[in-house]
Amino acid sequence: QVRVVESGGGLVQAGGSLRLSCTASGLILADYAMGWFRQAPGKEREPVSCINWSGDSTYYADSVKGRFTISRDNAKNTLVLQMNGLKPEDTAMYYCAALNSYSGSGASICTVGEYSYWGQGTQVTVSS
């Protein structure tokens, strides 16, 4: 049984940092592209950042470029999102997800509907 679990969310002031972690069990992480997505109240779930199976291709939404960094450790089945310079508009539930794919790069690996396995989410709240 595949299980994806996020951690690291919380309340932070604008300009602060948070580090989100995601662990996956029941699958071999190296077989999967991984992504972070977020959903604010009343809005659709949107991609934040994704990384291909090997880690040599990444995608960032324009709104987070230069502030967020995605990384993965396949040996530890772990995905990390380092978030710096947080803004109130980053407030949302953040989800980790896995896509069983060796192909694709950039934006092509960051489509919400393509992802198979999802975590329960971790709340990020940024106060102004």
Side-chain angles (χ1 to χ4, degrees):
Q1 182 179 355
V2 175
R3 189 163 181 245
V4 178
V5 180
E6 306 94 337
S7 62
L11 172 64
V12 64
Q13 288 188 332
S17 297
L18 283 173
R19 183 181 175 89
L20 304 185
S21 294
C22 170
T23 57
S25 58
L27 55 78
I28 299 173
L29 202 71
D31 292 339
Y32 290 77
M34 298 293 295
W36 289 99
F37 302 82
R38 67 187 182 188
Q39 188 168 16
K43 294 188 177 181
E44 291 188 355
R45 193 168 298 188
E46 63 178 8
V48 174
S49 181
C50 298
I51 187 167
N52 74 336
W53 68 276
S54 63
D56 62 5
S57 177
T58 58
Y59 167 83
Y60 295 94
D62 287 344
S63 58
V64 307
K65 278 181 183 176
R67 300 188 296 124
F68 292 10
T69 303
I70 192 170
S71 60
R72 64 188 297 159
D73 185 336
N74 288 342
K76 297 181 179 179
N77 265 24
T78 299
L79 179 74
V80 171
L81 185 69
Q82 179 66 43
M83 306 188 296
N84 299 327
L86 283 161
K87 304 176 180 179
E89 50 264 44
D90 294 318
T91 295
M93 185 71 78
Y94 282 70
Y95 297 90
C96 174
L99 166 62
N100 190 193
S101 175
Y102 287 113
S103 63
S105 62
S108 72
I109 58 168
C110 221
T111 302
V112 174
E114 297 286 323
Y115 276 71
S116 306
Y117 301 107
W118 292 83
Q120 295 292 320
T122 186
Q123 178 67 37
V124 171
T125 303
V126 185
S127 63
S128 57

